[in-house]
Amino acid sequence: MIRIEGLYKRFAETVAVDGVSLQIASGETFGLLGPNGAGKSTTLQLIMGILTPDRGSVTFSGNRDPRELAARRQLGFAPQQLSLYEELSGQENLKFFSRIYGLKGNRQQQQIDWALELTGLQNRAQDPVKTYSGGMKRRLNLALAVVHDPSLILLDEPTVGIDPQSRYHLFDNIEQLQAEGRTIVYTTHYMDEAQRLCDRIAIIDRGRILALDTVDALVTQYGGRSEVRVELADVAVDTGSLPGTLTGHMLQWKSDTPLVELAALAAAAVSVRSIEITRPNLETVFLNLTGHKLRD
Amino acid sequence: MHNVLVIARKDLQLLLRDRLGLFFILAFPAIMGVIFGAITGSFQTDQAILEIAVIDEDHSPMSARFVAALLETGSVQIWNDGESSPSDRQQALDRVRRGRLAAAVVLPSGFGETAGIPWSEPVAIEVGIDPSRTAERGMLEGLLLRAAGDLFAARLRDPAGRRALFASSRQQIERADALPAVTRGLLVQLLNLLQTEAEKGLDRQATDDPDTSNVSAFSAELALARVEFLPIGREPAVEIRTAWRDKVGSRWDLSFPQGILWGVLGCSAGFAISLVREQQQGTFLRLQVAPLARSQILAGKAIACFVTVLTVIAIMVGLGCALGMRPGSPFLLALAALCIACCFVGIMLVMSVTGRTAEAVNGAAWGIGVLMAMFGGGMVPLVFMPGFMRTISIFSPVRWAVEALEGAIWRDYSTMEMLGPCGVLMAIGSIGFVVGTLVLKRRTG
Ligand SMILES: Nc1ncnc2c1ncn2[C@@H]1O[C@H](COP(=O)(O)OP(=O)(O)O)[C@@H](O)[C@H]1O
Ligand SMILES: [Mg+2]
């Protein structure tokens, strides 16, 4: 669907995208996960041809340049910044943007209704956007990206700054779009979103892709071992037979197979007050790859 | 084209939702037009220096003296040097009609023979004055009479001239057969008396007091010269000749072009702001992703701005007409409106790249607009400005727009003459369009 090779983009002193290469398959949901300023938005804009790369290339399926009008027709984009005409109603916004994509008449109305229903905005469609809540504006931002029925949808941090309810609503919307077989490129700095929604993820920091794979593969490869913390009820046991290090009542160790050691503890009849196992996730993957946290 | 219209429609829709924007492009200019119209009649112009042309068709020493005397009043500035040819007269009157000069003064041939002789039948001085400066009409008339008085004083002061003056007068009296012989005799006696008194008094005065202002002031009271006004530009329409509407009607003719320009500036500023706001709020990004050429996005904006400018001009003209304005040529007014719209669309595009935020562009656009208006006659009419400001005004698009509107409304421009201001407007518009789009293209990737 999309082939990206050696993208490089610099703004004055800042190298925003530094040699990004990747391929996105048709029908998959591809995540770009990285902290603020990692170069996610710039990468999306390069993919869409809004920005011209200093080096590298982007090709859509059929060897198409993203700047071709035919290629753009297939593209839906929800910018990170809410991009709406605040003085117009939701319906009018949808009407204008679908008209730009050549929709009219019945088909236009059908698509508008579908987009409003998808995002749950039917009841407020006639109200000016400036009266919407932040979450509703986010949902309209998504509705505008999909109203013309694109096969490729690029969502740039679609959940920034909204209430949990709207957030889950958006997840449902996106899952529905996935189910319809659309290709989605999704950027975020929330690892739980990437984990929940994305088939494959590129971890990006300072303009470079540090790792690219499915969530499970990434965790397996870069997540390291699970961390186990056990609080003992009684310390007067034979400390030599215990795994890990004991500080006070707290016994701590790292392991690929935490259940094996816990089973051994149980067999030795060690009495335990609490057990905590932290499995590696994308957060740990990121920490291991970069040495810093995803969100500071 | 279809997409361009969709975008233009959206921009007009947005404008209609923007109350403050509407105020600045409709209510504000209307208020300006009415206020300017209301105060135009009361401008104090006594101190003004009139820029006039003098066409000396007489070429006599007396006519030359007259011109010199006129200059000496210190209240006029003479555009030509008095050298004349028949085409000069037409040229001068044309300049008046186009507002380049306040008035043209023609001294017809034969003027010098009788000028400054109170009891002669003077050859009329012909004057064409800018209709917008009727306030200064009386002032100019006074200046002409004062200069004629100067001629009278000159004739008296110069011994040879004096003798000739009295001799010719005596001859005239003696030849006036209609008068009874007794009266003739009495008049000749009176003339002799006058002559001796004048010789005594004036010769003394000429030696110790060269100032003749008393004489000329005194002389001005006499009908030393006859001034005839030539028609310049449009005659007021017959139906508004009557009563107060005559006066008021011409005022709106003057003030509404100014008011219109404020509306047009409001449109430029408003659309410039909307263009940068669109970039700022990200909808421009969305439009860029859509299957549109960037030129279509800009063309949509430009067309919306164009339509709005035309609408504002139409509404203001309608309002002006309701108050008593009578456009001389609807066709040329339409031409002027089209050219103004093109010009200010270009200016809008330049304004839109003066800053990166709506606030910055707002400030810059109004700053530019106010400057252009100030130096272009949008605040104080050009005719009331000092000379250097009128020179600077050629750099202000507002000046050319006002000229185009006035040319069509009351200056009776021919289509050829309209090409001047209209050409300048179109040129400014094109430059603005190119500069604006190029900067915007570079800025948005
Ligand atoms: N138009 C621009 N001009 C200058 N610098 C930019 C511009 N856009 C982005 N940058 C810089 O490029 C880097 C990457 O930005 P961005 O792609 O927006 O990151 P992300 O979307 O991952 O937060 C940042 O350092 C940002 O400041
Ligand atoms: Mg971003």
Side-chain angles (χ1 to χ4, degrees), chain A residues 36 40-42 80 156-157 187:
Chain A
N36 277 329
K40 303 182 296 293
S41 298
T42 308
Q80 174 176 358
D156 197 356
E157 311 218 16
T187 82

Side-chain angles (χ1 to χ4, degrees), chain B residues 9 44 92 331-332 335 346 371 404:
Chain B
R9 210 186 82 107
Q44 280 294 324
F331 165 71
L332 291 182
L335 177 69
L371 270 184

Side-chain angles (χ1 to χ4, degrees), chain B residues 73-401:
Chain B
T73 61
S75 300
V76 298
Q77 198 183 335
I78 294 185
W79 165 66
N80 64 357
D81 52 10
E83 296 275 327
S84 78
S85 64
S87 77
D88 261 6
R89 176 196 184 99
Q90 207 42 55
Q91 201 190 337
L93 289 173
D94 258 17
R95 284 184 75 84
V96 175
R97 188 162 55 79
R98 282 184 280 135
R100 303 288 199 281
L101 291 173
V105 173
V106 183
L107 307 176
S109 66
F111 168 80
E113 260 172 61
T114 54
I117 306 177
W119 41 82
S120 68
E121 174 68 22
V123 174
I125 302 168
E126 293 165 38
V127 175
I129 190 163
D130 187 328
S132 71
R133 309 191 64 171
T134 42
E136 285 131 303
R137 183 180 166 137
M139 171 186 168
L140 180 61
E141 221 168 337
L143 293 174
L144 291 173
L145 289 176
R146 206 163 126 187
D150 232 52
L151 291 194
F152 175 58
R155 279 184 199 274
L156 286 178
R157 222 176 313 124
D158 166 41
R162 190 162 63 219
R163 268 190 296 282
L165 172 66
F166 282 101
S168 82
S169 307
R170 216 169 282 129
Q171 257 178 16
Q172 267 187 334
I173 294 169
E174 276 156 11
R175 262 193 268 117
D177 294 329
L179 292 174
V182 185
T183 318
R184 265 186 279 166
L186 266 174
L187 279 174
V188 172
Q189 292 260 309
L190 185 64
L191 208 58
N192 288 340
L193 189 69
L194 259 177
Q195 185 168 10
T196 32
E197 282 304 307
E199 310 248 314
K200 269 193 272 173
L202 285 170
D203 284 346
R204 196 179 336 114
Q205 200 186 27
T207 48
D208 54 36
D209 182 14
D211 181 14
T212 55
S213 60
N214 287 341
V215 179
S216 25
F218 151 72
S219 310
E221 308 278 307
L222 299 176
L224 284 176
R226 200 151 59 80
V227 177
E228 254 176 30
F229 284 95
L230 303 171
I232 293 279
R234 173 178 71 83
E235 286 285 308
V238 181
E239 67 271 24
I240 60 161
R241 262 236 165 109
T242 50
W244 61 275
R245 295 188 71 182
D246 180 7
K247 213 169 88 194
V248 172
S250 58
R251 273 190 204 174
W252 307 124
D253 282 3
L254 294 171
S255 70
F256 266 76
Q258 284 176 282
I260 286 174
L261 260 296
W262 282 102
V264 170
L265 284 171
C267 292
S268 284
F271 277 92
I273 294 162
S274 86
L275 187 49
V276 48
R277 182 179 298 146
E278 192 133 6
Q279 293 164 52
Q280 211 183 343
Q281 76 190 2
T283 42
F284 196 78
L285 196 60
R286 225 185 244 291
L287 290 174
Q288 278 181 283
V289 176
L292 295 171
R294 192 166 343 201
S295 55
Q296 285 180 312
I297 305 174
L298 289 182
K301 262 299 171 221
I303 285 182
C305 181
F306 187 82
V307 169
T308 311
V309 169
L310 288 184
T311 310
V312 166
I313 294 178
I315 291 175
M316 286 291 287
V317 167
L319 183 61
C321 286
L323 284 169
M325 184 177 88
R326 288 294 174 273
S329 163
F331 165 71
L332 291 182
L333 186 55
L335 177 69
L338 288 174
C339 294
I340 290 171
C342 287
C343 176
F344 282 84
V345 166
I347 289 173
M348 177 273 284
L349 289 170
V350 173
M351 283 176 169
S352 76
V353 295
T354 53
R356 283 175 192 269
T357 64
E359 291 70 30
V361 169
N362 190 4
W366 279 107
I368 296 171
V370 167
L371 270 184
M372 288 197 307
M374 201 163 78
F375 284 100
M379 289 180 176
V380 177
L382 277 180
V383 290
F384 298 123
M385 285 187 177
F388 81 94
M389 274 179 76
R390 260 182 283 167
T391 312
I392 296 176
S393 77
I394 63 167
F395 296 107
S396 169
V398 169
R399 175 215 180 285
W400 299 101

Side-chain angles (χ1 to χ4, degrees), chain A residues 48 50 52 69 72-73 75 77 79 81-85 87-88 92 96-97 99-101 141 144-145, chain B residues 2-3 6-7 10 13-14 17 277-278 280-283 285-293 444-445:
Chain A
M48 294 181 293
I50 298 172
T52 315
L69 293 191
R72 286 205 223 162
R73 250 171 235 295
L75 213 97
F77 173 47
Q81 181 196 2
L82 289 169
S83 307
L84 316 162
Y85 293 111
E87 292 79 15
L88 302 184
E92 284 165 335
F96 170 65
F97 280 106
R99 196 83 187 80
I100 288 293
Y101 282 87
N141 205 41
L144 289 174
Chain B
H2 159 260
N3 283 334
V6 173
I7 292 174
K10 176 265 305 172
Q13 204 176 8
L14 285 173
R17 303 271 162 95
R277 182 179 298 146
E278 192 133 6
Q280 211 183 343
Q281 76 190 2
T283 42
L285 196 60
R286 225 185 244 291
L287 290 174
Q288 278 181 283
V289 176
L292 295 171
T444 54

